[in-house]
Amino acid sequence: AQSVTQLDSQVPVFEEAPVELRCNYSSSVSVYLFWYVQYPNQGLQLLLKYLSGSTLVKGINGFEAEFNKSQTSFHLRKPSVHISDTAEYFCAVSERRNTGNQFYFGTGTSLTVIP
Amino acid sequence: EPEVTQTPSHQVTQMGQEVILRCVPISNHLYFYWYRQILGQKVEFLVSFYNNEISEKSEIFDDQFSVERPDGSNFTLKIRSTKLEDSAMYFCASRRTGGTDTQYFGPGTRLTVL
């Protein structure tokens, strides 16, 4: 079975400061990794995903994440945050197979950008 | 850009009543999913649906739940007799194919059971 841990439930950060949202996973099989963002009263929007290849992946809105297989981590980073980045961020994994591929989500990290 | 839509955005019902949550997946997608998020908790998988049948379901998806694709566009989740603990945000998702394809999520339906 897979599990996803997001260690920080809330992260306050000042505008234009860097931020890192942590995600660790455990799985007995190879996985794909995702970060989703949820703005207030909206659905889940894909930020970025790691499928294979380069371990550093870049997504929308200036976010990037690095897959570290040895540490089973997929931390999300942004060098300079904006007020508009205030949202809930979810890390998710799915198994590497060509079937239903359900997602396993972390509990989410609430990012609050302070002016 | 095509998107997954869900109706209603908010549903209030009495305990024991049946509810149907509706989703319109992206038109050329073949895999469909329902997830739920109880307030303050993680997003949890309920069920996946492919080729007009359930392909996977979680322990949460018991006999009170059912899914259906009644026509070529809608994908519904029915809860036969709602319980207080069914109160949650329900998300529909779809993907074009399996494997590496992204799941696209709808905006969710907030279900409140009184």
Side-chain angles (χ1 to χ4, degrees), chain A residues 3-4 32 34 36 38 41-46 49 51 88 90 94-95 97-108, chain B residues 31 33 35 37 40-45 48 55-58 89 91 95 97-108:
Chain A
S3 70
V4 180
Y32 302 125
F34 304 81
Y36 281 83
Q38 184 181 28
N41 301 314
Q42 295 188 29
L44 298 166
Q45 180 182 0
L46 180 69
K49 60 184 176 182
L51 305 177
E88 191 84 15
F90 293 94
S94 71
E95 291 180 0
R97 55 187 173 94
N98 290 326
T99 53
N101 293 77
Q102 61 164 291
F103 276 25
Y104 297 87
F105 284 87
T107 50
Chain B
Y31 292 81
Y33 306 81
Y35 293 81
Q37 183 184 26
Q41 298 184 27
K42 67 172 68 178
V43 177
E44 300 172 290
F45 168 75
S48 60
S55 49
E56 280 182 298
K57 61 182 181 178
S58 71
M89 181 73 88
F91 292 105
R95 76 196 308 174
T97 63
T100 61
D101 241 1
T102 300
Q103 285 191 27
Y104 292 87
F105 285 79

Side-chain angles (χ1 to χ4, degrees), chain B residues 19-55:
Chain B
V19 295
I20 297 176
L21 309 183
R22 290 182 167 80
C23 168
V24 179
I26 295 173
S27 62
N28 62 347
H29 285 193
L30 301 177
Y31 292 81
F32 313 111
Y33 306 81
W34 283 102
Y35 293 81
R36 79 171 185 190
Q37 183 184 26
I38 295 173
L39 188 64
Q41 298 184 27
K42 67 172 68 178
V43 177
E44 300 172 290
F45 168 75
L46 292 178
V47 65
S48 60
F49 191 85
Y50 170 70
N51 200 26
N52 284 321
E53 61 182 22
I54 290 173
S55 49

Side-chain angles (χ1 to χ4, degrees), chain A residues 64-100:
Chain A
E64 63 181 32
E66 185 154 21
F67 169 54
N68 187 318
K69 187 175 182 179
S70 62
Q71 296 186 3
T72 59
S73 67
F74 191 54
H75 299 334
L76 181 71
R77 293 191 288 261
K78 186 170 182 178
S80 176
V81 296
H82 301 131
I83 296 291
S84 59
D85 293 323
T86 294
E88 191 84 15
Y89 291 80
F90 293 94
C91 182
V93 303
S94 71
E95 291 180 0
R96 284 179 175 267
R97 55 187 173 94
N98 290 326
T99 53

